[in-house]
């Protein structure tokens, strides 16, 4: 999954390490009729030992869903700026609704927090972003959605793995066929777990024999808590700190994947915005994330941030959950300010032009796909260094204009 996939809908899916939404490759032609894929896969499932009545309940008479193909092949042209995503994620309405929802199930939240040692405000934030506190779970028949994706072929391996997980869910009686509704891409219930994640991480919190992430808040939030606990959640520890970089910060020596103690970053002059480090902070392991360039907010992110990425591999999502949690806990999210609103991220077609121009200028972006990934960011930084700019790797409008001008002058 792209690191910069800020355009994901707020009702995203829990992917838990399964990188489902990879680069939007060219649309694949369906090379066989749907019925041929369907009957072949049904035969595969039976030969793998899935009960014939389960296979029949999943696939008999099933037709492809054209809406799913359309959504899978529609690549949004505009990349939503992170500040717009965060504004929507941490809206007044979402905070107010979250407070009400958390109060309604306060005892359950407390019990989930006690059992898994995952902070309740974080769980409420996930609940809010995934399904608007259970209100918006999607109404696609996910067996049909996933069968359509499997037949379409671009994500066949992913989709067939999810269908195999569904067969297990049905065999074990965790859910009924009629309950298998969710998003067009297979996210289910209040936590928007995909089926494989459900099989690995969902729990029967109330002990009634079913893992009901659709209607039972304890099962849903317990499942989210279990996922985070298994991803290394550190109870009552922070997710991130917004920081101030010193004048003359060595951008050329920085990469987003470097992980060091806060003491290391402090020695480079990095400070919490408007404050100082406490001695507790200094031994915490952290990465420096600068999502919108040198003239924009910067963040040190901790283990808990990485756990949230296991839920949904998006920097904007992890920040959104953490800001929501702060709003619930402290009454104020303390949102970062000073975003470069006059220098937004460039569109997909501009990204393709940028990649082509960077390649002509001798900075290989690793292919032309309109997606700004690590290779393109490396090429941007090489261009920025070679032309005396701050090498922050941010694909904003001003960088785009500078590269186009250099390409014309070549
Ligand atoms: Ca249950």
């Amino acid at each position: 999954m792209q690191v910069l996939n800020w355009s994901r809908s707020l009702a995203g899916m829990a992917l838990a390490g399964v990188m489902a939404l990879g680069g939007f490759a060219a649309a694949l032609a369906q090379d066989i009729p749907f019925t041929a894929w369907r009957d072949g896969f049904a035969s595969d499932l039976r030969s793998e030992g899935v009960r014939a009545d389960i296979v029949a309940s999943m696939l008999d008479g099933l037709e492809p869903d054209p809406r799913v193909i359309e959504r899978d092949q529609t690549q949004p042209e505009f990349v939503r700026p992170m500040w717009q995503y965060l504004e929507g994620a941490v809206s007044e309405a979402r905070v107010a609704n979250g407070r009400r929802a958390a109060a309604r199930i306060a005892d359950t939240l407390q019990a989930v927090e006690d059992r898994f040692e995952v902070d309740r405000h974080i769980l409420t934030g996930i609940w809010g972003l995934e399904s608007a506190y259970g209100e918006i779970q999607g109404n696609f028949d996910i067996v049909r959605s996933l069968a359509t994706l499997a037949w379409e072929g671009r994500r066949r391996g992913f989709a067939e793995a999810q269908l195999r997980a569904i067969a297990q869910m049905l065999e074990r009686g965790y859910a009924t066929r009629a309950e298998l509704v969710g998003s067009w891409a297979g996210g289910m219930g209040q936590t928007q777990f995909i089926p494989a994640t459900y099989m690995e991480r969902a729990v029967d919190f109330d002990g009634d024999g079913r893992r009901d992430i659709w209607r039972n808040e304890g099962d849903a939030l317990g499942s989210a808590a279990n996922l985070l606990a298994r991803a290394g959640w550190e109870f009552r520890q922070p997710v991130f700190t917004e920081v101030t970089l010193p004048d003359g910060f060595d951008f050329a020596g920085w990469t987003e994947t470097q992980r060091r103690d806060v003491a290391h970053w402090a020695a480079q002059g990095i400070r919490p915005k408007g404050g100082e480090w406490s001695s507790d902070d200094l031994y915490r392991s952290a990465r420096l994330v600068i999502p919108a360039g040198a003239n924009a907010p910067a963040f040190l992110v901790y283990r808990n941030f990485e756990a949230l990425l296991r839920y949904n591999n998006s920097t904007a999502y992890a920040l959104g959950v953490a800001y929501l949690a702060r709003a619930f806990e402290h009454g104020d999210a303390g949102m970062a300010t000073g975003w470069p609103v006059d220098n937004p991220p460039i569109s997909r077609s501009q990204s393709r032009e940028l990649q082509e121009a960077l390649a002509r200028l001798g900075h290989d972006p690793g292919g032309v796909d309109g997606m700004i990934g690590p290779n393109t960011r490396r090429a941007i930084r090489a261009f920025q260094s070679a032309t005396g700019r701050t090498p922050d790797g941010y694909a904003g409008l001003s960088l785009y204009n500078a590269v186009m001008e250099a390409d014309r002058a070549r």
Side-chain angles (χ1 to χ4, degrees):
M1 175 176 292
Q2 309 79 37
V3 175
L4 301 183
N5 58 351
W6 306 335
S7 58
R8 297 265 324 263
S9 70
L10 290 179
M13 290 174 304
L15 294 168
V18 181
M19 300 298 104
L21 294 177
F24 284 85
L28 296 175
Q30 288 77 58
D31 49 2
I32 54 172
F34 180 80
T35 49
W37 170 84
R38 186 190 69 195
D39 296 347
F41 187 66
S43 165
D44 287 352
L45 287 181
R46 284 189 299 267
S47 69
E48 290 161 19
V50 179
R51 268 177 20 219
D53 63 307
I54 299 269
V55 177
S57 78
M58 288 173 63
L59 298 173
D60 270 13
L62 198 67
E63 298 284 341
D65 186 340
R67 297 173 302 168
V68 170
I69 292 180
E70 190 191 322
R71 293 195 189 202
D72 188 52
Q73 296 186 351
T74 304
Q75 176 178 321
E77 166 65 3
F78 294 99
V79 176
R80 196 171 182 200
M82 179 169 288
W83 49 95
Q84 280 179 19
Y85 174 90
L86 291 174
E87 212 169 277
V90 195
S91 67
E92 271 180 41
R94 198 183 305 271
V95 172
N97 291 341
R99 287 222 182 82
R100 260 197 304 280
R104 177 168 61 78
I105 61 156
D107 293 347
T108 301
L109 265 176
Q110 181 70 57
V112 169
E113 182 180 274
D114 288 347
R115 178 150 137 203
F116 293 97
E117 300 205 314
V118 174
D119 304 73
R120 76 185 84 174
H121 302 299
I122 291 287
L123 297 171
T124 307
I126 287 174
W127 192 26
L129 287 185
E130 295 296 340
S131 66
Y133 312 104
E135 295 294 315
I136 302 172
Q137 302 184 21
N139 52 13
F140 284 79
D141 169 357
I142 62 159
V143 174
R144 188 179 176 201
S145 292
L146 290 162
T148 303
L149 291 174
W151 165 60
E152 178 206 30
R154 188 177 73 79
R155 292 196 273 152
R156 176 165 295 162
F158 162 80
E160 290 188 350
Q162 302 313 311
L163 289 166
R164 287 187 167 87
I166 285 173
Q168 288 182 34
M169 292 169 62
L170 293 170
E171 282 200 319
R172 297 184 193 188
Y174 291 152
T176 66
R177 175 70 183 83
E179 284 170 340
L180 296 173
V181 292
S183 78
W184 69 270
M188 307 181 299
Q190 305 198 24
T191 55
Q192 293 289 289
F193 274 19
I194 54 173
T197 301
Y198 177 98
M199 284 306 299
E200 286 172 13
R201 296 290 182 255
V203 297
D204 171 19
F205 188 74
D206 70 347
D208 71 347
R210 309 183 60 221
R211 304 176 183 182
D212 185 356
I213 62 173
W214 295 268
R215 284 169 306 195
N216 184 295
E217 283 92 0
D219 285 5
L221 297 176
S223 296
N226 183 47
L227 191 162
L228 291 180
R230 300 282 286 269
W233 186 262
E234 296 177 340
F235 192 33
R236 293 184 180 149
Q237 298 300 308
V239 174
F240 73 89
T241 302
E242 189 187 348
V243 295
T244 307
L245 306 179
D247 290 342
F249 175 73
D250 177 21
F251 277 91
W254 158 79
T255 63
E256 196 167 282
T257 54
Q258 270 171 358
R259 177 169 282 292
R260 301 277 187 275
D261 286 353
V262 169
H264 166 91
W265 301 111
Q268 294 196 18
I270 295 176
R271 298 276 175 271
K273 192 175 180 188
E276 289 297 326
W277 297 112
S278 75
S279 52
D280 285 353
D281 294 323
L282 293 177
Y283 298 101
R284 191 168 279 132
S285 173
R287 291 190 292 126
L288 176 61
V289 174
I290 307 171
N295 299 311
F299 307 91
L300 282 185
V301 303
Y302 310 121
R303 296 284 182 201
N304 285 346
F305 187 91
E306 313 301 343
L308 289 171
L309 293 184
R310 295 293 299 276
Y311 204 110
N312 186 334
N313 190 25
S314 153
T315 294
Y317 176 84
L319 289 174
V321 170
Y323 277 126
L324 266 177
R326 285 206 323 213
F328 298 142
E329 187 167 7
H330 303 297
D332 178 3
M335 300 278 279
T337 56
W339 294 97
V341 292
D342 56 349
N343 186 21
I346 56 176
S347 70
R348 302 289 179 210
S349 50
Q350 286 173 321
S351 296
R352 280 187 289 274
E353 292 171 42
L354 176 78
Q355 289 168 328
E356 287 166 356
L358 284 169
R360 284 192 293 268
L361 290 164
H363 305 297
D364 178 18
V368 175
D369 61 1
M371 307 301 300
I372 306 295
N375 292 329
T376 303
R377 280 200 293 280
R378 197 174 306 124
I380 290 170
R381 293 178 60 174
F383 169 83
Q384 289 170 321
S385 290
T387 54
R389 293 175 167 79
T390 303
D392 60 16
Y394 173 54
L397 192 57
S398 65
L399 176 274
Y400 167 82
N401 289 333
V403 170
M404 291 300 122
E405 194 180 317
D407 187 41
R408 280 192 297 273
R410 185 172 49 91

